[in-house]
Amino acid sequence: MKTTLVFLFMLSCSAFSHGPGKDNDFAGKRILFIGIDGCRADALVAAMERGLAPQMKMLSESADGLLTRQFYAGGELGTPTHQPTVSGPGWTSLLTGVWMDKHGVKDNRFIGGRFQNHSHFMRHIKEVAPSSFCSSFADWPPIHDYIADGSRVGSKEFLDVKFTAVPDAKRHFIDNPEKDIEVRDEAVKTLRTQNPDAMFVYFGQVDEFGHGATDSRGSFSPDNSLYVNAISHVDSHVGELIRALRGRKEFINENWLVLITTDHGGRGTGHGGDSDEERNIWLIVHGRELPREELLNKATPQTALVPMIYKHLGIQPKPVILAPSDQKP
Ligand SMILES: [Zn+2]
């Protein structure tokens, strides 16, 4: 009798829990999505070739990993999906899986965003698996203020950890590299002390160096050492995250899909247009079961990331009851 009770208790635990190893709602499958704002593809590759981005090089060249440069931002030219290559629409597409014709975000003001109908992917994970553990870490506040909070139903929070480091806009984001460290440290702490099913970790300094905001000599170019150094700095943060992930007690029983990408490229000290340098970005994927051929041989849109996440976790998002009018953030 006693044995039966213990067995039943364990059964109910493993069916609804966010434990380590395989003890989660997705048979051990988990997501780590790292976002590096404004990181041009050729500059990332230059950093790798010069030995300045060894962590991302290792991930992309390992047997379980790949780097594709056939990944694009900005929607489909000449159609209603066409969107500016700036952060608002870019991160919204990466986190919701749709372009501007659906999400409604035209720029970094987020006016007209339709997040109730086209929500942050973690809201959908939480709807399907209420006991899952979803977390997000960012030092660009709109990621949480608009995309995450705008996706909430009423005030119902779907993020178990929502860490926002706020850089000083008055000082032209000069403290952005420090904020990236705070983001890294909180994300590492969560990997060490919690059992996250899905994590999004955003780093902002690469874009700020591209704009010449943190240092006026910066620009979006593989030949600009300040810009490439910022990529190198963030690469070391990626390394810390991967070390924390591999150091998890039951890492051997966990099946992590690691995704690393950017929202847009850049040209000179800006971005937003339709040039190859702004639209053609990159994606690093690391995991046990990758659609390798498809990713390496076919152009993949930013909107393909969210479906890849659902596929990895083995979930079907619940259908959204469409709000009659556009929801303003
Ligand atoms: Zn920018």
Side-chain angles (χ1 to χ4, degrees):
M1 185 63 188
K2 206 174 176 187
T3 334
T4 321
L5 276 174
V6 171
F7 176 71
L8 281 173
F9 177 70
M10 281 174 65
L11 201 75
S12 65
C13 268
S14 61
F16 305 100
S17 72
H18 49 260
K22 283 195 169 67
D23 187 18
N24 70 348
D25 294 299
F26 315 103
K29 292 180 175 176
R30 295 162 200 271
I31 299 286
L32 173 60
F33 177 1
I34 301 173
I36 305 175
D37 203 299
C39 183
R40 232 171 95 154
D42 54 358
L44 174 68
V45 170
M48 286 178 171
E49 284 169 357
R50 292 172 206 163
L52 295 169
Q55 305 297 335
M56 287 192 271
K57 187 173 160 70
M58 185 191 68
L59 282 172
S60 56
E61 291 180 355
S62 86
D64 286 346
L66 64 87
L67 162 70
T68 175
R69 286 183 64 175
Q70 293 204 66
F71 195 56
Y72 62 96
E76 313 294 343
L77 295 171
T79 78
T81 66
H82 178 205
Q83 64 187 35
T85 51
V86 294
S87 290
W91 289 115
T92 304
S93 290
L94 286 162
L95 294 167
T96 64
V98 293
W99 296 120
M100 191 178 86
D101 58 319
K102 289 192 172 140
H103 64 56
V105 176
K106 298 171 197 67
D107 52 34
N108 292 349
R109 293 176 303 158
F110 289 85
I111 295 164
R114 297 188 279 265
F115 297 108
Q116 288 294 296
N117 293 353
H118 305 287
S119 305
H120 193 296
F121 71 91
M122 289 186 190
R123 168 182 149 190
H124 293 295
I125 294 177
K126 202 78 174 177
E127 278 174 353
V128 172
S131 61
S132 63
F133 192 101
C134 295
S135 54
S136 180
F137 309 81
D139 53 11
W140 192 49
I143 296 278
H144 293 151
D145 296 349
Y146 294 111
I147 307 177
D149 290 356
S151 296
R152 292 190 300 203
V153 181
S155 57
K156 199 168 167 230
E157 185 57 80
F158 54 87
L159 294 173
D160 298 277
V161 177
K162 182 170 66 185
F163 176 79
T164 316
V166 184
D168 192 344
K170 285 195 214 81
R171 293 167 65 219
H172 300 282
F173 297 91
I174 202 157
D175 55 347
N176 210 283
E178 293 157 41
K179 298 297 161 190
D180 278 359
I181 289 172
E182 289 176 27
V183 163
R184 176 202 69 190
D185 288 349
E186 283 300 316
V188 163
K189 193 172 94 189
T190 296
L191 276 166
R192 290 203 178 126
T193 60
Q194 307 279 355
N195 297 303
D197 297 305
M199 296 182 78
F200 175 61
V201 188
Y202 166 101
F203 297 112
Q205 70 181 286
V206 173
D207 188 64
E208 299 303 339
F209 276 96
H211 285 295
T214 21
D215 188 310
S216 59
R217 295 163 299 170
S219 72
F220 290 92
S221 162
D223 302 321
N224 187 281
S225 59
L226 291 164
Y227 184 62
V228 176
N229 278 344
I231 296 173
S232 184
H233 199 173
V234 171
D235 182 73
S236 75
H237 297 342
V238 171
E240 290 294 325
L241 291 170
I242 299 299
R243 263 190 292 282
L245 189 147
R246 291 190 176 152
R248 288 176 54 74
K249 244 188 234 146
E250 292 203 40
F251 173 70
I252 191 106
N253 295 319
E254 297 180 347
N255 181 347
W256 286 88
L257 176 67
V258 179
L259 303 156
I260 315 176
T261 191
T262 187
D263 52 340
H264 54 71
R267 231 183 157 186
T269 53
H271 55 85
D274 301 325
S275 69
D276 288 350
E277 294 93 332
E278 291 157 297
R279 282 178 60 87
N280 296 345
I281 51 172
W282 54 275
L283 170 69
I284 291 173
V285 198
H286 189 277
R288 287 184 209 158
E289 307 123 15
L290 304 183
R292 186 171 289 274
E293 293 304 312
E294 206 179 312
L295 286 170
L296 289 174
N297 300 320
K298 217 176 83 187
T300 304
Q302 274 180 325
T303 49
L305 230 60
V306 167
M308 272 175 69
I309 289 170
Y310 294 150
K311 193 169 172 222
H312 177 70
L313 295 177
I315 61 168
Q316 285 269 4
K318 285 188 181 169
V320 172
I321 299 153
L322 292 181
S325 59
D326 296 348
Q327 186 263 347
K328 300 259 188 326

